[in-house]
Amino acid sequence: MVKDKKDELIQLRKRLAKRMPDPSTALAGSLMSRMIHCNKPGCRYCEKGKKGKRGKGHGPICILSVSAGNRRVRQIPIPSHLKQDVQEGLHRFAEIQKLLKQVSRVNLDLLEERKKR
Ligand SMILES: [Zn+2]
């Protein structure tokens, strides 16, 4: 019976691997939208008001936040005509990551089965 369980897991990981989408567009990071301040003197969007409060700034603009290692984050402004491509890339990355985690879980189970013999 132990062998059946192994075969089952091997079939399962094959099915998962076949569902793996094309990784060529994968993009890691997260997309956010926020206001930016240009800090140009006299800018009517950014200049401080009478109460010393900063103006509302420009935007909102789209920012791609990417981990650059060592806890550093790169923030890349994304023009609106590229936003959809970026979103698709992020989605693709997440999809692949999710499938990889599933494959890894199956392989862990398989490892446990192999230890039993
Ligand atoms: Zn400004």
Side-chain angles (χ1 to χ4, degrees):
M1 284 301 128
V2 173
K3 194 179 181 302
D4 285 347
K5 174 86 176 167
K6 276 189 207 169
D7 288 344
E8 210 175 277
L9 290 167
I10 287 167
Q11 289 308 312
L12 179 55
R13 73 177 182 182
K14 271 185 193 162
R15 282 200 300 276
L16 288 169
K18 273 183 189 157
R19 274 168 51 199
M20 200 64 79
D22 177 8
S24 61
T25 57
L27 185 62
S30 57
L31 205 55
M32 56 189 87
S33 115
R34 65 153 204 245
M35 305 301 286
I36 53 159
H37 291 85
C38 67
N39 295 319
K40 280 180 192 146
C43 174
R44 66 191 179 105
Y45 297 107
C46 304
E47 205 170 50
K48 281 176 182 165
K50 280 172 189 159
K51 290 172 185 166
K53 216 179 138 194
R54 209 153 65 143
K56 72 178 184 78
H58 306 263
I61 65 155
C62 222
I63 303 277
L64 178 66
S65 192
V66 182
S67 168
N70 294 327
R71 293 181 183 179
R72 294 178 64 180
V73 172
R74 274 183 71 193
Q75 301 215 318
I76 303 155
I78 303 299
S80 56
H81 72 282
L82 293 177
K83 190 179 171 185
Q84 201 186 336
D85 282 357
V86 168
Q87 276 171 332
E88 281 167 14
L90 295 172
H91 182 255
R92 181 57 51 90
F93 189 88
E95 234 180 341
I96 289 167
Q97 208 173 35
K98 194 176 153 197
L99 267 169
L100 266 183
K101 280 179 185 168
Q102 286 174 359
V103 170
S104 181
R105 272 199 296 272
V106 172
N107 280 331
L108 269 182
D109 290 348
L110 196 57
L111 205 57
E112 291 301 327
E113 289 302 317
R114 281 179 172 155
K115 277 165 69 180
K116 283 179 188 170
R117 52 168 292 185

